[in-house]
Amino acid sequence: DAKTTQPTSMDCAEGRAANLPCNHSTISGNEYVYWYRQIHSQGPQYIIHGLKNNETNEMASLIITEDRKSSTLILPHATLRDTAVYYCIVTDSWGKLQFGAGTQVVVTP
Amino acid sequence: AAGVIQSPRHLIKEKRETATLKCYPIPRHDTVYWYQQGPGQDPQFLISFYEKMQSDKGSIPDRFSAQQFSDYHSELNMSSLELGDSALYFCASSSDRDQPQHFGDGTRLSIL
């Protein structure tokens, strides 16, 4: 299974864009990149996912490099409620999520 | 919109007892996943079901078993409980294996 590498932590000022990088250099052609976040022991929350193309929804944008070896999650206007651990996950064909260490994002006023 | 329902929210047991955790997926979701999150750790995949059949298995102890019923709800049965089983247990459901998973609020299991 493909693995991901993310920064351990990141600070972001409220109202600014947060750009969260993720490396997944061993990703296979049919594997998706998913982003989830977990706010203090709540159930993980789905954010966005993509295969090859960039994606955008009401929460975030996902930029995937052409070689698919890395991606960036963009939170366009971070709020204090976006403070959470963000997980970049590459899923296998069975769909299970293999959570790595994630990035602790702290949004400050 | 309806979400994944887990019960109970909190459960306290003693060592060597048994516990049953329940998960009710989002309507029309036929795929259910179970995850365990120990204190200070990241969620770990335990087991999944698709159309009432076990579809994948992770680091689930032999003392644990699970099943998905005809109404698609799932139960995680845990026996001979150990102190190390104290954790948050999350259930997630999806409409298919390549669709996003939606998580419940979890069951916090404490073993005394």
Side-chain angles (χ1 to χ4, degrees):
Chain A
D1 293 343
K3 295 185 184 297
T4 63
T5 305
Q6 300 177 247
T8 302
S9 63
M10 176 179 295
D11 291 340
C12 178
E14 188 178 19
R16 303 295 294 271
N19 296 284
L20 282 63
C22 178
N23 288 321
H24 31 79
S25 58
T26 60
I27 191 170
S28 299
N30 60 348
E31 292 178 325
Y32 283 81
V33 178
Y34 275 80
W35 283 84
Y36 285 79
R37 72 181 183 184
Q38 187 174 30
I39 300 172
H40 189 56
S41 297
Q42 296 179 18
Q45 179 187 23
Y46 165 75
I47 301 173
I48 199 167
H49 74 289
L51 183 63
K52 297 180 185 176
N53 300 321
N54 298 336
E55 303 288 344
T56 295
N57 63 21
E58 65 279 3
M59 289 184 68
S61 295
L62 175 61
I63 308 298
I64 303 175
T65 58
E66 192 169 344
D67 63 8
R68 301 206 331 121
K69 293 184 177 182
S70 65
S71 61
T72 300
L73 177 74
I74 301 173
L75 306 177
H77 304 288
T79 71
L80 298 180
R81 288 178 294 181
D82 291 323
T83 292
V85 178
Y86 287 75
Y87 295 99
C88 169
I89 300 169
V90 173
T91 61
D92 63 13
S93 58
W94 296 104
K96 67 175 178 284
L97 300 175
Q98 293 181 300
F99 290 83
T103 297
Q104 172 67 64
V105 173
V106 177
V107 180
T108 56
Chain B
V4 176
I5 306 297
Q6 290 188 245
S7 67
R9 291 296 310 279
H10 303 273
L11 189 59
I12 298 175
K13 291 286 185 178
E14 296 191 354
K15 288 192 301 183
R16 293 180 289 278
E17 286 191 319
T18 62
T20 297
L21 309 185
K22 297 185 178 182
C23 170
Y24 297 87
I26 292 171
R28 292 180 294 282
H29 281 195
D30 55 13
T31 307
V32 168
Y33 304 82
W34 286 96
Y35 295 84
Q36 178 192 57
Q37 186 172 26
Q41 298 180 1
D42 303 299
Q44 297 297 312
F45 169 74
L46 291 178
I47 196 167
S48 62
F49 293 87
Y50 170 67
E51 277 293 341
K52 294 159 279 186
M53 299 287 289
Q54 180 182 310
S55 58
D56 199 2
K57 200 171 181 180
S59 50
I60 182 170
D62 291 341
R63 300 177 288 107
F64 293 7
S65 64
Q67 60 183 118
Q68 186 178 31
F69 294 85
S70 58
D71 63 352
Y72 295 103
H73 94 273
S74 178
E75 295 184 3
L76 178 66
N77 299 294
M78 310 160 72
S79 64
S80 303
L81 289 168
E82 302 173 356
L83 294 177
D85 296 329
S86 294
L88 273 167
Y89 290 84
F90 290 108
C91 172
S93 74
S94 68
S95 57
D96 205 342
R97 287 177 293 188
D98 61 354
Q99 294 300 309
Q101 295 178 31
H102 299 275
F103 285 76
D105 291 332
T107 293
R108 183 176 293 280
L109 176 64
S110 300
I111 310 301
L112 304 180

